Amino acid sequence: LRSHAWDDPALLDAIAAAVPDPLDRFDVASFDRPLAAAAFVDGDDAHERVRAHIVTDLHLRTAPERSAAQGVFLAALLSFLALAEIPADRWNEHSRTRSLPVRWHTFFSYVASGPPAHRLEELVALADAGIVRFLGPGVDVRVEPGRGFVASSPHLPDHVAARSLVDAW
């Protein structure tokens, strides 16, 4: 049995051959940090691509033909419950202080505690109405006197200033 790194080209080719539709593949890196490698032309491009990501995510969560997303949720939930049964003294210090509470719990919370479908639909509707504006990944917000909140992203060439801020991470 040969071990592969998650991004090994041979492994990715084998996965593509076995699972032809990219929407049915579970890609941990893009699941954990969607659009992290994206470079946007401008704010409009970032907004539209984040909106498209949310629409796709909503489809994956709710469409019966996309049961792989439900499978990931159930596998994560059952794993979380199984790990909770292991006595604390069976974990080493690193696992107890870093791997479980930081990495695993954060990942599980993202999978299991995302917004419900109706909230995603509402968010898309607010974006379509021009009330919500998506900025893309890696957003940094600072307060500037006289300007209010100023948000920027390393993925965007420009920044956005606003009087109000809703943090919906």
Side-chain angles (χ1 to χ4, degrees):
L1 184 64
R2 184 174 170 206
S3 175
H4 291 283
W6 68 268
D7 61 348
D8 182 288
L11 178 61
L12 296 177
D13 289 344
I15 291 169
V19 185
D21 188 341
L23 290 178
D24 288 332
R25 298 178 201 152
F26 182 61
D27 178 354
V28 175
S30 65
F31 185 80
D32 185 39
R33 300 277 187 242
L35 303 173
F40 305 109
V41 175
D42 56 23
D44 291 337
D45 182 35
H47 175 79
E48 287 305 317
R49 287 172 62 189
V50 171
R51 184 196 173 283
H53 173 76
I54 293 169
V55 169
T56 299
D57 184 58
L58 179 61
H59 174 70
L60 292 174
R61 290 179 188 220
T62 59
E65 69 272 14
R66 298 297 181 189
S67 61
Q70 183 70 7
V72 169
F73 167 77
L74 291 175
L77 177 62
L78 294 174
S79 298
F80 188 80
L81 294 172
L83 289 172
E85 295 296 319
I86 299 172
D89 63 344
R90 299 292 307 266
W91 297 102
N92 66 34
E93 182 180 339
H94 185 267
S95 294
R96 192 173 54 252
T97 61
R98 298 289 306 151
S99 297
L100 283 173
V102 178
R103 286 184 157 170
W104 172 247
H105 194 266
T106 301
F107 177 76
F108 173 77
S109 294
Y110 179 76
V111 170
S113 301
H118 72 278
R119 290 284 183 242
L120 292 176
E121 291 167 349
E122 292 166 353
L123 182 59
V124 170
L126 289 170
D128 291 347
I131 295 168
V132 170
R133 183 99 176 132
F134 302 117
L135 300 177
V139 172
D140 178 63
V141 179
R142 62 189 180 283
V143 177
E144 289 187 9
R147 294 190 72 201
F149 298 98
V150 177
S152 61
S153 166
H155 300 265
L156 288 173
D158 49 359
H159 62 274
V160 175
R163 293 187 324 257
S164 302
L165 170 71
V166 176
D167 182 2
W169 176 77

